[in-house]
Amino acid sequence: SAPLKVRLGPAPGKPPAAAVVEWGYKASVVPERRPFFADKRVETLDCGWLHVVAATESGAVFAWGENAFGQLGTGDEAARPEPCRVALPGAIPKVGAVACGAHFTLAVTADNNLWSWGRYQASNWPTAFAASWCNRVAGDDPKTVGLPPRAAILQASAGDAHCAALVSLKEACVDVGPRAVVAALYTWGYDD
């Protein structure tokens, strides 16, 4: 049999990975590379008030910064100046997108589920949003409607203390009446 040959560096046909740089509060005043990500391909990242979350091509999610409300997803409230792995359950599919509020984080997985952690969320541990108290079910309060069961989250966004999710209604079995509605925008959070 032929010997195994290993080539270090970017995979053939793939462009080099983009660099992660940061600057600002508690960091350099000029943009500096984050060496931690030198051998990782970051697909998406977002910044909260004082924290950053990045999802990599491999599906791993890393966070760093302040953590007073559990926004790093480590289950505690200890700040992390260097990136650490978010404590997502091992069985969830790859995270395709992240969104940071001021003190909380949202993640959308490849199977279109929404996960959340930090302030205003159910836990400092990453939690499936549909199963949390944050997602009010229709009937709890006539003025409050939660995400429909089996809703596929297409995209999520986070503000200071509010969230939005674009939801596919195709698989959610939502009675939308005579018009064909395939997606809806759900918003929740503080309205002051």
Side-chain angles (χ1 to χ4, degrees), residues 129-130 132-149 151 163 165 167 169 172 174-175 184-189:
F129 187 81
S132 76
W133 62 264
C134 299
N135 184 34
R136 303 272 170 131
V137 180
D140 288 352
D141 176 346
K143 295 180 237 161
T144 304
V145 177
L147 296 176
C163 306
V167 177
L169 299 179
V174 173
D175 181 11
L185 179 65
Y186 285 78
T187 61
W188 63 97

Side-chain angles (χ1 to χ4, degrees), residues 34-167:
R34 267 284 178 178
F36 177 85
F37 292 103
D39 62 345
K40 297 168 183 62
R41 298 179 75 84
V42 173
E43 290 191 336
T44 179
L45 79 131
D46 200 20
C47 300
W49 186 50
L50 294 173
H51 75 290
V52 182
V53 180
T56 63
E57 182 180 59
S58 70
V61 179
F62 298 92
W64 67 98
E66 294 299 317
N67 195 29
F69 300 96
Q71 60 265 42
L72 299 184
T74 55
D76 61 23
E77 295 177 353
R80 307 287 198 298
E82 296 299 321
C84 63
R85 193 161 191 155
V86 172
L88 291 164
I92 73 162
K94 176 182 170 183
V95 170
V98 293
C100 295
H103 305 289
F104 66 95
T105 304
L106 304 174
V108 179
T109 56
D111 64 350
N112 300 103
N113 282 306
L114 182 64
W115 290 73
S116 66
W117 57 91
R119 190 174 193 184
Y120 310 122
Q121 307 309 307
S123 176
N124 290 352
W125 294 103
T127 305
F129 187 81
S132 76
W133 62 264
C134 299
N135 184 34
R136 303 272 170 131
V137 180
D140 288 352
D141 176 346
K143 295 180 237 161
T144 304
V145 177
L147 296 176
R150 298 179 314 282
I153 308 299
L154 303 175
Q155 186 175 349
S157 184
D160 180 46
H162 61 281
C163 306
L166 184 61
V167 177

